[in-house]
Amino acid sequence: RAAASSLGSFAEVVEPEHVKVELMPMFKDLAGDDQDSVRLLAVKNVVHFASLATGSDDKKDILDLSLELAGDMSWRVRWSVADSFVGLVNSLGTELSIRDLVPAYVNLLKDEEAEVRTAAVFKVTEVAALLKKHQQIINETFIPELQNLATDSCDHVRSALACVIMSMAPVVGKDTTVNQLLDSFLRLLKDDVPEVRLNIISKLDTLNNVIGIELLVHSLMPSIVELAKDRNWRIRLAIIQHVPLLAEQLGVKIFEDQLADLSMQWLEDEVFSIRQAATDNIRKLTEIFGEEWARQNIIPKVLELNSHSSLSLPY
């Protein structure tokens, strides 16, 4: 185990001919060891050897080993390969990645073990970004799997997807985002698990930068408004924290139509953290729209709320 864990870092400091003649055969033996704990440690070194491979034969050897480990009988080994995939693509180059590594990666996204799918999902944006010049490959291989994963039976997989799927928008561009990913965004926004909803909300600004505010309002705003009333207070809090950004992008008219009433309702929320965030939200909205807007639209409503409720604003 000690040899398997340190062989890659050792290879980086010895002469190239020794790596090829002496260390590479040792690494192959470790990667094929009967104990999955040894193979697991070998995976952690495969990126080291991939970065040292210069000739086509050397890269082919590393590629073959990587593919074997990606299909290993132990889910822990496959998990480790998924977690190391960005380094593999970086080291082996685009050509080998498209031909051989991408199919293996797609299999990891479809793995029978949820832990493996989760690890692969967390790397999907980084892997896709490395292949950005090959949009057809991304559209035909990655996007369908992401659509399937949005309905995965495992909460952890969907939660991981919600963390990264918005970041796919800058990689694939506006058209693909709108035509192939928006439905998945909406599905995750409405997920039964609060953590999934929370993760997707936290990346709204990334989506806005790609598709623009008009499409965002048209496609996602109804779900955002619905989440602003979510029974889970952390979801409401996440929405409040994004309101100033949305307000800045929406402009006064759309904001007043869609979110102004909610901004006032939050001031009476039963959860202190929501009321506290709501007051900070009002302050930021005043900075965005100006003091005159606040005098006309906020102060009268605050006074009205204070006159018929036990509203206590935290300062």
Side-chain angles (χ1 to χ4, degrees):
R1 291 184 183 182
S5 63
S6 58
L7 198 59
S9 56
F10 179 63
E12 291 183 342
V13 297
V14 302
E15 296 296 325
E17 58 267 23
H18 293 304
V19 173
K20 185 172 184 177
V21 175
E22 298 177 25
L23 297 185
M24 189 61 186
M26 291 173 58
F27 178 66
K28 288 181 179 179
D29 289 341
L30 290 170
D33 195 272
D34 290 340
Q35 296 186 43
D36 57 1
S37 59
V38 175
R39 299 196 304 278
L40 181 63
L41 292 172
V43 174
K44 298 182 185 300
N45 289 288
V46 72
V47 175
H48 290 286
F49 279 92
S51 66
L52 296 172
T54 52
S56 58
D57 289 342
D58 294 338
K59 289 188 175 183
K60 182 68 167 56
D61 287 343
I62 294 296
L63 175 65
D64 290 343
L65 276 176
S66 301
L67 295 177
E68 285 181 22
L69 292 167
D72 196 273
M73 67 181 71
S74 167
W75 71 264
R76 290 179 176 84
V77 174
R78 301 196 304 277
W79 180 96
S80 190
V81 173
D83 191 54
S84 304
F85 226 88
V86 175
L88 280 173
V89 174
N90 249 329
S91 298
L92 293 177
T94 303
E95 184 179 345
L96 284 178
S97 297
I98 289 175
R99 191 186 69 203
D100 296 298
L101 284 180
V102 166
Y105 180 69
V106 170
N107 286 336
L108 293 171
L109 287 171
K110 297 189 291 187
D111 196 273
E112 62 184 16
E113 295 292 339
E115 289 86 351
V116 178
R117 298 197 302 277
T118 300
V121 165
F122 271 125
K123 299 298 179 180
V124 69
T125 299
E126 293 177 81
V127 173
L130 293 174
L131 305 174
K132 190 174 181 178
K133 293 182 180 179
H134 304 272
Q135 285 294 318
Q136 185 176 353
I137 298 295
I138 296 173
N139 293 348
E140 293 178 355
T141 57
F142 289 11
I143 299 297
E145 293 309 319
L146 296 183
Q147 293 169 336
N148 292 334
L149 289 164
T151 58
D152 195 275
S153 59
C154 177
D155 298 350
H156 297 297
V157 174
R158 299 196 310 279
S159 180
L161 181 63
C163 285
V164 300
I165 193 169
M166 290 290 203
S167 300
M168 284 292 289
V171 177
V172 300
K174 180 177 179 179
D175 290 344
T176 300
T177 298
V178 171
N179 295 327
Q180 299 189 55
L181 288 177
L182 265 184
D183 286 346
S184 297
F185 297 159
L186 284 168
R187 188 171 288 111
L188 293 168
L189 268 174
K190 298 175 181 179
D191 197 277
D192 292 336
V193 178
E195 184 182 4
V196 177
R197 303 195 298 273
L198 193 60
N199 288 344
I200 203 81
I201 291 165
S202 67
K203 305 292 183 180
L204 283 175
D205 52 338
T206 303
L207 180 63
N208 177 45
N209 291 336
V210 175
I211 71 172
I213 195 63
E214 290 186 10
L215 272 173
L216 180 65
V217 170
H218 176 72
S219 58
L220 298 185
M221 188 56 73
S223 294
I224 292 172
V225 171
E226 185 179 337
L227 288 170
K229 306 172 186 177
D230 196 275
R231 63 184 180 275
N232 186 296
W233 70 268
R234 288 182 175 84
I235 302 297
R236 301 197 301 277
L237 181 62
I239 291 292
I240 294 172
Q241 291 168 342
H242 280 79
V243 163
L245 174 66
L246 289 169
E248 200 166 12
Q249 300 292 329
L250 290 170
V252 174
K253 186 178 185 309
I254 299 178
F255 173 80
E256 290 181 348
D257 290 341
Q258 302 276 356
L259 294 172
D261 288 344
L262 281 169
S263 294
M264 302 310 300
Q265 291 171 21
W266 286 323
L267 290 169
E268 293 187 290
D269 196 278
E270 62 183 14
V271 178
F272 171 76
S273 296
I274 299 297
R275 300 195 301 273
Q276 187 175 44
T279 60
D280 191 47
N281 176 51
I282 296 297
R283 177 184 62 78
K284 291 177 180 178
L285 290 173
T286 301
E287 292 174 356
I288 294 169
F289 294 139
E291 293 182 6
E292 183 60 31
W293 174 84
R295 275 194 292 269
Q296 293 180 11
N297 296 277
I298 299 298
I299 293 177
K301 293 179 181 178
V302 170
L303 293 175
E304 182 182 352
L305 285 172
N306 198 45
S307 68
H308 65 72
S309 72
S310 57
L311 175 67
S312 177
L313 300 181
Y315 293 100

